[in-house]
Amino acid sequence: MRENYNEQLDAARSDLAEMCKLAETAMESATRALLTADLALAEETISSRERIDTLAANWEHKAFSVLALQSPVALDLRIMVSGIHIVADLQRMGSLAIHIAELVRRRHPAHVLPTEVESTFAEMGRVAVGQAEATRDVLLTRNAERAAELKTADAAMDDLHRSLFTLTASPDWPHGVPAAVDITLLGRFYERYSDHTVEVAKRVIFLVTGEFRPEEA
């Protein structure tokens, strides 16, 4: 029975990695849609919501079933409790990527981004996708050192986010308030996506070490 239980735990870990991959793919395609004003790609990104939500619901159902039907020890409890929080973070990552695609759809056929900020958002997308990829690796390997490294990428995202505020708040900003609002909103989506990868990393560190320090940036 314990062998079957361990198989269930391994499957649960794989399911989390699959969710992370979906969120990663959604961010990659949303960023490409944003940079190119590609409506079809935006729609494709938005359609991924159902798959992410279904995986999240299924994972939580299986987690509660395992907890109810087995006799979990301390590590097993950490896996399941951490997993429930991780699912919420991964689901939110997918939603944030979809929000980017939805803004592309609302503004189509116009481009959302002025040329001055295209390179910044391309870099934000690169950082976000890289963080999601690293997060997926952390979920599969439970590598606490790799998890801690995600904070460095988060700092890079914060710097990019701040640069947008500097640009749009400048008296020389030529594109008006609506464009500044769109850019501020998009920047927040990327910044929050990055934050959620760090939250997942904290949960993995807790899973491995038993220590959780939510106050750490």
Side-chain angles (χ1 to χ4, degrees), residues 21-126:
K21 178 60 178 177
L22 288 172
E24 176 189 337
T25 301
M27 177 54 79
E28 183 179 17
S29 61
T31 299
R32 285 194 287 121
L34 177 65
L35 294 170
T36 61
D38 188 327
L39 180 61
L41 189 55
E43 295 286 6
E44 180 182 329
T45 305
I46 293 165
S47 70
S48 68
R49 185 197 307 272
E50 183 177 354
R51 177 61 178 157
I52 293 171
D53 289 346
T54 298
L55 274 176
N58 288 346
W59 197 96
E60 290 179 353
H61 175 75
K62 285 191 285 188
F64 286 122
S65 296
V66 168
L67 290 173
L69 299 175
Q70 302 289 347
S71 300
V73 297
L75 177 59
D76 303 335
L77 285 171
R78 288 212 303 270
I79 291 171
M80 289 305 171
V81 172
S82 297
I84 289 167
H85 289 285
I86 288 170
V87 163
D89 284 309
L90 297 175
Q91 191 172 19
R92 186 60 183 149
M93 285 166 60
S95 294
L96 288 162
I98 288 166
H99 290 339
I100 296 168
E102 288 172 336
L103 186 56
V104 173
R105 181 172 65 182
R106 284 199 298 273
R107 298 290 182 262
H108 190 269
H111 283 251
V112 180
L113 300 178
T115 56
E116 292 93 327
V117 297
E118 286 181 352
S119 61
T120 301
F121 277 100
E123 181 63 10
M124 292 177 90
R126 187 194 67 79

Side-chain angles (χ1 to χ4, degrees), residues 184-203:
T184 300
L185 190 61
L186 286 166
R188 181 61 172 164
F189 292 154
Y190 281 93
E191 189 263 342
R192 287 301 299 149
Y193 185 100
S194 176
D195 286 346
H196 283 292
T197 67
V198 175
E199 289 302 314
V200 172
K202 289 179 184 177
R203 297 290 175 186

